[in-house]
Structure formats: C-alpha cells, structure tokens
C-alpha cells in the first residue's frame, strides 16, 4: 500500500516524528506547530506503514471534544474509522477499564459515578453521621482535600501523619469517605484514575494483557497531566510498549488543578531511549500574531525555550481597543463580529475568550439583543449556574412563596438544619392537603406537629422569606438593592466562601454580577405584562437561560474561557477584559508561579487566532457588583508595540473624550483617570477629570457624562462613596 499520502502534508520535522520507528518519543513544540496533527498522522502511519491494528493503539486527549475530533481526523485521513482503537480522556479510558474489570478492581458490578455535587452531598452526609463540625472542616474544603490527594495518587492510608488537628481531621474524613464510597459502590472522578492505576498494579496478569495489547500509546497536551495520570501512563506502557507524548511547556495552565510540568522533564528519565523532536514552524497564525505571542512568553523564566516562526506572511497587526466600560467593550466586539459576518465569515469561526465565566454576561446580553446565535463551551451559561439559580429561587419565593420548585431548591441551601426528613414531611402534608409546601410549613409551625428543633428551623426559614418579600414593596429600593439584600440575608456569600479554591470565589463573583445585572436592568411601567420589575427580571433570566443557547450544529459565535480554548483555533479571536486584576487575576499575585501560569494562559489565548486578533479592555468595569478602574494588563505591555495598532475610531456612542486619549503606552504610565482629563461637558463649567465637591458625598473625580444643558448628567467617582450619576442642574457640585 502506498502510504506516502500520510507524510505528504507535513514538514521535515513533523515527518520525522510521524515516521519514527516504534520507539518512545516526545514532541515538544509551541502552539500551532502541528503537534495534534502529528499525533493523527502518526496513528495513520502506524496502522498503514507498520500494519499495527487500531486495536493495539491508545490515544489520550484532554477533552471529549478533542477525542471526537481526533477520531474524525483519522477517519478523514485513512478513509475508515479506527475500529477497536481506544481514544478518550484519562477519565473516560479509566472508566472503560473499570467497567470491564469491576471484579478485579474490587468494585460492585453496578458501581455509580458521582459528579462533584454528589460528592459534596456525600461528604455532608458523612459529617452529619459522625457529628463533625462543618464550620471547622467546611465540606467543600474536604472534597477539595480528597481530590487533591487522589490527584497525587494517595489513599487515606498514604496521607502523611500530622500533629496538626486540622490535617488529622481531614485525613479521618477521607477514611470515612473511602468507607462510605466502598459500601455504596460510589466512585468520584479522581477515584476512576486512582482505581484504574491500582487495578493494573494489583493484577499482574491483567497488566500483562494490556501492556501486550497496547503496542503504542499517544498523549496530547502532555504538559497538563497530573501525578496519577502520568503514573498510569507509565504502568500501561511498561517495558514492552512505547509512547509518543506531545506537549508545550508554555501552555501548561492547569497547575492549580495538580498538573505537573515536571512530567515533561522526567519523561526522558522514565522512558527508554526517548527521541525528542522540536517543531518550530507555526501553521496557524500570521506573523504578527506569532510575534506577539513570542514576545509575551519571553517574560517567563524557567522555559524549555523555543521560538516559533511562520512563512504565512505578517498579516494584520493586532488591534487593541480600550472600551470605555464593559458595555462599550461588548458593543465594539459585536460591531466587529457583524462586520466579519457581513464580509462572509461564518460565526463559528469567531471566538470570544475571557478569563473568568462572569465576564460572559455582558457579551451574552449584547448577542441576545442583536439576535446572534452563540454557544458557550465549558462552564454554564450565566443564568444556568447553580449559585445564580439559587439566588433567583429566593427571589421567586419572595414574589410567590407558593412556588414549590423554588422552595425545594433553597429551603436548606445554605444548610439551616432542615433535613431530608423534614422536607419529606412537608412534601407529604402538601400532597395530602393539596396545598403548597409553604402552606404545609405554616401548618407545621402553627400546630407543632414536629419536634421543636425542626419546627424552629422551618419557622426561621418562613420569616426569612417574609423579610425578603417585604423588600419588594419598598419604593426606595432598586432591583439591585433587593438582590443584594436577598443574597445577604440568605447567607449565600459565606456559604460559598467555605468552598476552597477558585470555584467558591467564582460563585461569589457571579452572585455579585447578578446584583450588577439587576441594577442595570431597565424596566418601564409601560411593560404592562409584568406586574413589577422583579417579575420582568425573573422572566428574562428564564428566557435567557432557555433560548439564547444555539444548538450544536447551528452556525454560532463561540464563547469560552481561555482554559476551554486550549488546542482550538479560529480565524477571528477576541481576547477580552485584558486588565490588571482581571487578567492576570488578582489571586495570581499572591502565589508564586501563578503569574507565570496566567502569562501562559495569555499565550494560549493569543495563539488561538489564525488571521486576526483583537485585544480589548475596559477603562472602567462593573463586575461582581462594583465598579473598578483597572489599568490595561501588563501582558499588553509585554507584546512588542510594533505588533499592536490601537483602534481609535468610535462609532455609535459619541465619546468626545476619546479624542483626548493618548495611546495605550501612555495610558499605562498614568493614572487611569488622567486620560479623561480636560473635556468640558457642553454648556457647563464641569470638565472630565475635574475634582469636584458635593455637599453630601464629598470629593470625587468626574469620569463620564451624558446629555446636555439642563439634562446633562455626570458620573463622579467619589473618594468614599463610590461612583454616582448626578444631574448637574440639581447637584451642587463645586469644581475644586
Ligand atoms: P496547540 O498547541 O494549540 O494544540 P498544535 O501544535 O497541536 O497546536 P495543530 O492544531 O496540530 O497544532 O496545528 C495547527 C494548524 O496548522 C492546524 O490547522 C493544522 O492543520 C495546521 N498544520 C499543521 N502542520 C501543517 C503542515 N505541515 N501543513 C499545513 N498545515 C499544517
Ligand atoms: Mg494541539
């Protein structure tokens, strides 16, 4: 058979990697240099040139999407699906092994996989059972501890002894947790990997079988493997198999989840005669985009070091847009999206990337308004997220206490001592009496048909919701204030604060973002079908959640976090919210190494772009419920200036102040506000950047205005009171 077609569309180095003899190899190369392509072609090569059966190959990718894509690409190349080949994620493949060998793995035949919510619920149940104080050992932190141990391949028995009572408690909980999982046939995600590893170590015959079967193992995104994944790979390959791993140390972005970049350094030590191949030609991006990426990543120490080049021409410079605020940023992005669409680019070829999930809301709202289909990868859409749904459920109860769905959702979230048994009783009474759960609860409280403790807990819940209901009818409270009140009274912030790691923080940020969304919600009494702003807001949230998401096959704009963008490519990319404290994130200043990981994340973002990259930031941003004025990210400064062109033209919103704006390099050196300096609000004596004094709010800086004459309003950032909009003809502002 002529196999030259497999090597045709490859460069020399790629060809060397693809047609290498059956041996261990490591392909270390920058973004877009064809690593994934090499893997696909190598699989085809092994099947056709070495006549290996697909049955003897295993390929590990990072996401299910990547696995499906790999299968499709192999099929496209060789004309047949690779039947019998194992292609999947680490978790997927481990699961497959355990289903096939449940007995040898010491599992029940019908073992169940738990997602992270199930896992948390189990931990809580155990803590109740053993009377363990959940304020000292917050359940979320317990699950985080257990997962981190499993990532490192440690069972409870392997956790080092400690004199510290907190660590001792954690270890004990891990023991109880292991027991409970064992008893009930439950496996969490980490357990899949750990158990699959142990399965091999404790069953020599089985191990031999698989080692003989898998002649060659291929791994994509190797830089993001953690300890247990790497250990499992080593075991599966053993002394008889061989492995090809491809990766890029500059794209290691999962250190916070246990990924070990050292696995790359150790690879040549742990596998025999490793052939290391470096690819340096990039086929994805234009010269300007690449130069930007190279320039940025050079600011990291501790790199294995490589330069990427391309012969595809310079292309256009990167466009940098300074949004006035996050709304203006989103508006600008939408304008470019529509322009590209009108010029014939498919929506699916445009990606909008952001650092944290909460940033997507404003962009989503713009997309909905413009009726552009979009799709969000990784992470839930804003109004679908657990914490948002909980807050909305409280609001729904405040509007209508008889909303049983909402009641079920939050009656014990955060935990307030209304256990499953009490809830069961409520359900029963509601069913028997044909009333709502709320009415059942009132019945219980009035007639004392439950033990005092349970009854009291329910009574407190009823009072809590009553209080929330009262805020709805207070004329001086805006919708944002009402949500702030609800979130605070419900105790949702401390509830999520107990969650360890980024997730809890992200949830809190999202809750604050909900307050922002509610404050900015415009409703007029002309909207007759709604009886109140709250009703209108709640409906909008449901509709946004239900309909805005395009289905998978519809041509739609792609929205995702930078983490989910790994391995993908798009002709047009927007890197948004590139501001200090947001990207790099504030948290990254605290832990050593985190800033470098943020920079790698930025490198991943830039290198997703094929033809054109837009970088945007907002001079003021309302996020997580408050307004901040962050300077443009240091990452922008680290990109060679000749690759960047500032977008100066503003359409739609008349923003004369932009004419005074110096270029971003200047912006970086000055206080953010100073760029606004000097523009006078028409027909008034107030100018942008003036310091002013208000009789009640004190001193502040004028940062924005709208309208003219008697309608002119200015936005002032007060030193102590935050930002406020004031009508100039009323507010007695004194220019200082
Ligand atoms: P990442 O690090 O982002 O995962 P990668 O190194 O895996 O990138 P690929 O996705 O395999 O890179 O390739 C990037 C793009 O370049 C793809 O569109 C691929 O088809 C194309 N490409 C790679 N090698 C060649 C080649 N020799 N000729 C033409 N196109 C190529
Ligand atoms: Mg790749």
């Amino acid at each position: 058979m002529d196999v030259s077609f497999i090597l045709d569309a490859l460069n020399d180095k790629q060809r060397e990697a693809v047609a290498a003899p059956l041996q261990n190899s490591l392909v270390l190369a920058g973004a877009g240099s064809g690593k994934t392509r090499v893997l696909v072609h190598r699989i085809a090569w092994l099947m056709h040139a070495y006549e290996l059966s697909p049955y003897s190959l295993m390929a590990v990718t990072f996401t299910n999407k990547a696995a499906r894509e790999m299968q499709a690409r192999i099929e496209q190349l060789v004309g047949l699906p690779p039947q019998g080949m194992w292609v999947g994620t680490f978790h997927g493949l481990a699961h497959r092994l355990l289903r096939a060998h449940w007995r040898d793995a010491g599992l029940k035949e019908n073992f169940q996989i738990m997602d992270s919510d199930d896992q948390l619920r189990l931990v809580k149940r155990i803590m109740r059972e053993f009377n363990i104080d959940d304020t000292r050992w917050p359940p979320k932190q317990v699950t985080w501890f257990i997962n981190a141990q499993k990532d490192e391949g440690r069972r409870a028995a392997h956790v080092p002894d400690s004199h510290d009572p907190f660590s001792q408690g954690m270890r004990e909980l891990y023991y109880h947790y292991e027991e409970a999982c064992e008893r009930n046939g439950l496996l969490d995600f980490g357990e899949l990997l750990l158990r699959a590893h142990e399965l091999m170590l404790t069953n020599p015959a089985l191990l031999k079988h698989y080692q003989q079967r898998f002649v060659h193992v291929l791994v994509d995104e190797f830089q993001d493997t953690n300890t247990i994944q790497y250990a499992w790979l080593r075991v599966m390959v053993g002394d008889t198999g061989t492995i090809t791993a491809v990766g890029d140390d500059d794209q290691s972005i999962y250190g916070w989840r246990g990924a070990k970049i050292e696995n790359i350094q150790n690879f040549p030590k742990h596998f025999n005669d490793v052939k290391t191949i470096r690819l340096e030609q990039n086929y994805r991006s234009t010269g300007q985009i690449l130069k930007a990426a190279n320039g940025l990543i050079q600011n990291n120490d501790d790199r294995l070091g490589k330069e990427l080049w391309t012969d595809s021409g310079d292309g256009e410079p990167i466009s940098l847009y300074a949004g006035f605020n996050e709304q203006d940023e989103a508006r600008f992005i939408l304008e470019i999206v529509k322009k590209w669409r009108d010029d014939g680019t498919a929506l699916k070829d445009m990606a909008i990337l952001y650092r944290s999930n909460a940033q997507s809301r404003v962009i989503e709202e713009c997309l909905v308004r413009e009726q552009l289909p979009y799709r969000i990868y990784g992470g839930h859409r804003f109004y679908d997220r657990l914490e948002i749904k909980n807050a909305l459920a409280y609001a729904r109860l405040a509007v209508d206490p008889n909303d049983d769905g909402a009641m079920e959702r939050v009656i014990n979230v955060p935990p307030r001592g209304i256990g499953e048994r009490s809830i069961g009783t409520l359900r029963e009474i509601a069913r028997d009496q044909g009333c709502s759960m709320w009415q059942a609860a009132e019945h219980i409280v009035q007639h004392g048909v439950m033990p005092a403790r349970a009854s009291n807990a329910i009574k407190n819940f009823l009072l809590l919701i009553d209080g929330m209901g009262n805020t709805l009818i207070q004329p001086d409270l805006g919708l944002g204030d009402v949500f702030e009140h609800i979130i605070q009274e419900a105790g949702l912030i401390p509830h999520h604060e107990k969650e360890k790691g980024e997730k809890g923080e992200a949830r809190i940020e999202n809750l604050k973002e909900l307050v922002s969304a509610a404050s900015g919600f415009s409703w007029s009494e002309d909207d007759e079908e709604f009886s109140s702003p709250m009703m209108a807001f709640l409906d909008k949230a449901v509709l946004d959640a239900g309909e805005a998401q395009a289905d998978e096959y519809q041509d739609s704009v792609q929205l995702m976090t930078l983490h989910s963008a790994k391995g993908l490519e798009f002709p047009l990319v927007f890197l948004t919210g590139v501001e200090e404290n947001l990207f790099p994130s504030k948290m990254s200043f605290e832990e050593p190494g985190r800033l470098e990981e943020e920079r790698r994340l930025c490198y991943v973002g830039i290198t997703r772009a094929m033809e054109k990259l837009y970088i945007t930031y907002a001079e003021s941003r309302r996020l997580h419920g408050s307004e901040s004025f962050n300077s443009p990210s240091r990452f922008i400064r680290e990109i060679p200036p000749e690759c960047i062109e500032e977008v100066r033209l503003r359409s739609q919103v008349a923003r004369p102040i932009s004419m005074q704006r110096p270029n971003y390099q200047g912006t970086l050196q000055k206080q953010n506000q100073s760029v606004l300096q000097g523009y006078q609000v028409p027909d008034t004596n107030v100018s942008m950047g003036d310091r002013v004094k208000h009789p009640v709010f004190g001193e502040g800086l004028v940062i924005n205005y709208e309208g003219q004459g008697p309608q002119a309003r200015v936005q002032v950032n007060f030193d102590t009171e935050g930002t406020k909009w004031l009508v100039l003809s009323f507010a007695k502002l004194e220019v200082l």
Side-chain angles (χ1 to χ4, degrees):
M1 182 181 179
D2 179 18
V3 291
S4 59
F5 70 96
I6 299 173
L7 302 181
D8 278 350
L10 298 173
N11 67 31
D12 287 351
K13 283 280 169 199
Q14 291 174 332
R15 213 169 279 155
E16 194 185 329
V18 167
L22 258 187
Q23 66 180 25
N24 296 318
S25 34
L26 177 64
V27 179
L28 265 185
S33 58
K35 294 183 298 297
T36 304
R37 188 183 178 99
V38 160
L39 280 191
V40 169
H41 284 246
R42 179 134 175 90
I43 289 165
W45 182 259
L46 293 172
M47 279 162 34
H48 289 272
Y50 295 154
E51 296 184 340
L52 287 183
S53 154
Y55 179 81
S56 58
L57 300 174
M58 173 162 79
V60 192
T61 63
F62 209 74
T63 59
N64 290 314
K65 187 170 188 286
R68 280 197 302 275
E69 219 165 276
M70 182 172 283
Q71 248 162 340
R73 285 215 229 167
I74 299 167
E75 187 174 338
Q76 208 179 12
L77 192 60
V78 301
L80 281 174
Q83 280 208 341
M85 181 174 162
W86 280 29
V87 190
T89 59
F90 280 104
H91 289 109
L93 297 172
H95 180 223
R96 190 167 176 170
L97 274 175
L98 296 178
R99 283 278 174 224
H101 308 286
W102 55 272
R103 205 189 304 266
D104 291 321
L107 293 168
K108 295 183 195 292
E109 185 174 7
N110 57 352
F111 69 84
Q112 298 280 319
I113 315 278
M114 290 186 286
D115 67 16
S116 48
D117 285 345
D118 302 330
Q119 190 190 18
L120 183 62
R121 236 171 287 137
L122 177 64
V123 166
K124 287 179 181 165
R125 214 163 70 209
I126 293 167
M127 296 187 69
R128 273 197 302 274
E129 193 182 327
F130 289 90
N131 249 331
I132 296 169
D133 179 1
D134 65 0
T135 52
R136 257 196 101 185
W137 289 275
K140 193 70 214 178
Q141 210 170 330
V142 176
T143 61
W144 179 81
F145 172 85
I146 292 171
N147 294 342
Q149 298 305 320
K150 291 190 177 187
D151 282 346
E152 288 297 313
R154 281 196 286 267
R155 294 233 163 262
H158 305 142
V159 176
D161 247 338
S162 164
H163 295 299
D164 160 36
F166 179 73
S167 309
Q168 277 171 4
M170 282 290 190
R171 192 167 76 142
E172 206 167 303
L173 273 160
Y174 188 9
Y175 267 117
H176 293 317
Y177 176 84
E178 271 182 346
E179 252 169 42
C181 289
E182 199 73 35
R183 213 170 39 239
N184 300 303
L186 298 172
L187 272 74
D188 59 43
F189 289 146
E191 182 71 20
L192 289 171
L193 300 171
L194 190 50
R195 191 63 75 124
H197 184 231
E198 288 171 351
L199 171 70
M200 292 298 145
L201 295 185
T202 50
N203 292 276
L206 203 63
L207 176 61
K208 194 158 167 228
H209 165 79
Y210 280 105
Q211 286 180 339
Q212 277 172 351
R213 168 175 176 171
F214 292 124
V215 177
H216 201 75
V217 173
L218 304 105
V219 193
D220 201 359
E221 308 278 3
F222 181 66
Q223 75 280 355
D224 277 324
T225 49
N226 65 24
T227 302
I228 187 71
Q229 290 165 340
Y230 182 55
W232 181 74
L233 282 176
R234 285 181 66 192
V235 163
M236 293 297 275
V237 173
D239 294 330
T240 49
T242 47
I243 179 168
T244 298
V246 308
D248 177 6
D249 57 308
D250 288 332
Q251 293 187 70
S252 158
I253 54 176
Y254 281 95
W256 56 283
R257 248 169 45 179
K260 291 275 154 38
I261 205 163
E262 300 90 289
N263 292 343
I264 294 185
Q265 278 114 13
N266 287 330
F267 191 86
K269 294 181 210 151
H270 292 151
F271 294 97
N272 294 330
D273 304 325
V274 171
K275 181 182 178 73
T276 301
I277 294 170
R278 291 171 184 269
L279 309 174
E280 286 180 343
Q281 181 169 2
N282 170 296
Y283 290 89
R284 178 180 293 147
S285 311
T286 64
Q288 298 258 25
I289 292 170
L290 215 53
K291 192 167 168 193
N294 283 336
L296 172 90
I297 201 68
Q298 268 171 12
N299 291 281
N300 270 3
D301 297 330
D302 264 355
R303 299 176 56 217
L304 298 175
K306 51 193 152 8
E307 270 296 306
L308 281 177
W309 61 274
T310 174
D311 64 5
S312 66
D314 277 354
E316 280 186 41
I318 293 167
S319 294
L320 177 69
Y321 181 75
F324 185 48
N325 54 25
E326 74 287 355
Q327 301 284 349
D328 183 40
E329 181 190 38
R331 182 197 55 73
F332 172 77
I333 292 169
L334 265 280
E335 221 164 81
I336 305 292
V337 164
K338 283 191 288 183
K339 186 168 160 293
W340 277 62
R341 178 199 58 186
D342 295 344
D343 290 345
T345 305
L347 295 177
K348 67 170 174 32
D349 289 336
M350 311 180 196
I352 304 173
L353 311 180
Y354 36 84
R355 175 67 183 85
S356 75
N357 278 313
Q359 283 165 257
S360 71
R361 183 186 63 80
V362 177
I363 301 168
E364 282 182 69
E365 286 182 354
C366 259
L367 285 158
V368 171
R369 224 173 11 247
E370 298 282 344
Q371 301 190 328
L372 282 171
Y374 67 95
R375 190 173 164 75
I376 295 200
Y377 289 92
H380 293 293
R381 278 161 307 141
F382 186 74
Y383 291 113
D384 263 1
R385 293 177 185 138
L386 171 124
E387 63 280 13
I388 300 299
K389 280 180 136 177
N390 288 345
L392 292 175
Y394 276 106
R396 276 164 49 198
L397 274 180
V399 172
D400 174 12
N402 297 315
D403 184 334
D404 280 358
M407 178 110 161
E408 287 255 18
R409 187 169 181 100
V410 293
I411 188 165
N412 203 32
V413 177
R416 51 172 66 90
I418 305 180
E420 264 311 306
R421 194 181 299 166
S422 303
I423 299 173
T425 312
L426 286 177
R427 278 192 207 111
E428 242 166 66
I429 296 176
R431 205 179 45 229
D432 293 349
Q433 305 292 319
C435 65
S436 67
M437 282 176 72
W438 178 270
Q439 288 159 339
E442 284 180 331
H443 176 84
I444 283 177
V445 171
Q446 277 160 17
H447 296 95
V449 285
M450 260 191 190
R453 228 173 95 193
S455 170
N456 270 338
I458 291 174
K459 182 173 165 196
N460 288 337
F461 180 72
L462 296 183
L463 289 172
L464 175 74
I465 300 296
D466 260 345
M468 292 177 181
N470 284 336
T471 61
L472 290 177
I473 46 174
Q474 289 184 27
D476 53 340
L477 290 184
L479 202 53
D481 302 330
V482 172
F483 267 102
E484 199 158 67
H485 179 86
I486 286 177
I487 289 167
Q488 192 191 339
E489 288 301 302
L492 291 174
I493 303 275
H495 174 57
H496 291 301
E497 266 167 1
K498 288 182 198 148
E499 295 181 66
K500 175 76 186 171
E502 288 207 336
K503 203 157 171 189
E505 284 166 41
R507 290 199 200 280
I508 292 168
E509 286 174 358
N510 286 335
L511 285 173
K512 292 183 180 163
E513 190 58 21
L514 178 65
V515 175
S516 295
S519 326
F521 182 63
S522 56
W523 178 81
S524 73
E525 278 168 14
D526 305 339
D527 295 358
E528 281 168 11
E529 62 271 48
F530 301 110
S531 54
S532 69
M534 178 58 100
M535 292 291 289
F537 183 79
L538 289 173
D539 276 12
K540 175 183 120 86
V542 177
L543 286 176
D544 272 4
E547 285 172 18
Q549 180 96 330
D551 73 54
E552 192 157 1
Y553 302 102
Q554 188 181 1
D555 184 33
S556 46
V557 180
Q558 315 280 298
L559 263 67
M560 63 196 86
T561 61
L562 286 150
H563 279 99
S564 336
K566 201 164 77 142
L568 307 179
E569 59 188 22
F570 310 90
L572 174 62
V573 169
F574 298 89
L575 209 59
T576 70
V578 188
E579 293 141 37
E580 286 293 300
N581 296 322
L582 197 58
F583 189 31
S585 74
K586 211 182 274 168
M587 284 174 301
S588 69
F589 305 142
E590 287 156 22
E591 266 175 68
R594 280 290 287 273
L595 184 64
E596 297 219 332
E597 185 151 308
E598 292 283 300
R599 192 175 281 113
R600 292 194 291 269
L601 195 56
C602 188
Y603 174 81
V604 168
I606 293 175
T607 54
R608 298 310 96 198
M610 299 165 83
E611 288 171 37
K612 177 77 190 179
L613 174 67
Y614 280 89
I615 295 181
T616 61
Y617 64 91
E619 288 168 351
S620 89
R621 180 178 297 276
R622 206 171 168 76
L623 190 73
H624 317 320
S626 64
E627 186 122 3
S628 52
F629 299 89
N630 296 317
S631 45
S633 168
R634 70 190 68 196
F635 298 151
I636 298 177
R637 214 176 340 166
E638 291 170 1
I639 294 173
E642 63 272 22
C643 305
I644 296 187
E645 190 177 77
E646 253 200 298
V647 180
R648 294 178 145 270
L649 237 184
R650 265 142 242 262
S651 51
Q652 264 186 34
V653 191
R655 290 254 322 277
I657 44 166
S658 65
M659 290 154 72
Q660 265 78 34
R661 194 196 310 279
N663 69 20
Y664 73 98
Q665 302 264 332
T667 315
L668 292 168
Q669 274 130 38
K670 297 182 185 178
Q671 264 295 322
N672 223 11
Q673 287 90 336
S674 63
V675 299
L676 308 171
Q677 207 89 39
Y679 187 83
Q680 188 167 1
V681 181
D683 310 331
T684 70
N685 65 341
V686 178
S687 299
M688 292 293 136
D690 274 354
R691 276 197 76 76
V692 290
K693 190 169 173 190
H694 184 272
V696 178
F697 304 132
E699 290 186 17
L701 190 75
V702 178
I703 55 170
N704 197 5
Y705 86 95
E706 61 183 32
Q708 287 190 1
Q711 270 87 42
R713 302 199 311 151
V714 290
Q715 192 182 24
V716 182
N717 186 19
F718 287 104
D719 298 346
T720 51
E721 300 291 318
T723 58
K724 296 196 187 306
W725 279 99
L726 304 166
V727 177
L728 272 178
S729 46
F730 293 122
K732 297 189 175 53
L733 285 184
E734 180 191 344
V735 179
L736 298 174

